[in-house]
Amino acid sequence: MKTVRVYRADTIAAASHMKNVLAQYEISAEIRNDRLFSLAGSIPIGESLVELWVKALDFRRANELVKATLDPISKGKISIWVCDKCNEEIEEHFAACWSCGAISN
Ligand SMILES: [Zn+2]
C-alpha cells in the first residue's frame, strides 16, 4: 500500500494529537521520524520534524482534516467549489482543479 506524508509536526505530541484526530475519522496514520526527533539540533531541522503518513487512498480526506484541525476558524467549515469543466468538487483553498487543472472563477 502506497503511503504519503500528510503532516509534519515539530513535536511528537502534536503528531500524536493529529494521529488521534484522524483515527476519529477511521483514518489510520503512522508517525515517522519520532526517533530522529531526539537528534534535533544535530541534523537539519527539516529532517528532524515528526511526520505523519497515511495511505494514499486516505490522503485527500486526511489532508482536509489536518487543515481543519490546524485552523480552528475554518474547523468543520471547509467550503468547496465545483469545477466548471469536470464537475469535480474542490476545496476552496485550491485555486485550480486538482483533476483537470481548470482555474477557479
Ligand atoms: Zn476540473
Side-chain angles (χ1 to χ4, degrees):
M1 176 63 72
K2 193 184 169 209
T3 56
V4 288
R5 190 183 67 213
V6 72
Y7 179 56
R8 289 171 108 176
D10 46 15
T11 65
I12 292 172
S16 298
H17 172 69
M18 199 60 79
K19 183 182 160 125
N20 290 336
V21 168
L22 296 181
Q24 284 169 20
Y25 294 87
E26 294 176 353
I27 296 172
S28 65
E30 179 192 350
I31 293 176
R32 293 190 191 169
N33 270 5
D34 53 334
R35 269 170 299 195
L36 266 184
F37 187 68
S38 61
L39 301 173
S42 58
I43 57 175
I45 185 72
E47 290 168 31
S48 65
L49 293 174
V50 187
E51 300 182 340
L52 204 58
W53 289 64
V54 297
K55 289 180 202 143
L57 285 174
D58 289 333
F59 176 76
R60 277 180 67 191
R61 186 121 189 283
N63 193 37
E64 283 178 17
L65 292 166
V66 167
K67 286 200 168 80
T69 302
L70 294 177
D71 180 2
I73 294 164
S74 67
K75 192 169 186 175
K77 295 190 224 158
I78 295 173
S79 300
I80 53 147
W81 54 276
V82 176
C83 178
D84 288 339
K85 233 168 124 182
C86 70
N87 288 325
E88 191 61 55
E89 293 181 349
I90 317 295
E91 292 163 48
E92 63 178 346
H93 49 268
F94 292 115
C97 173
W98 64 267
S99 179
C100 72
I103 305 295
S104 168
N105 47 31

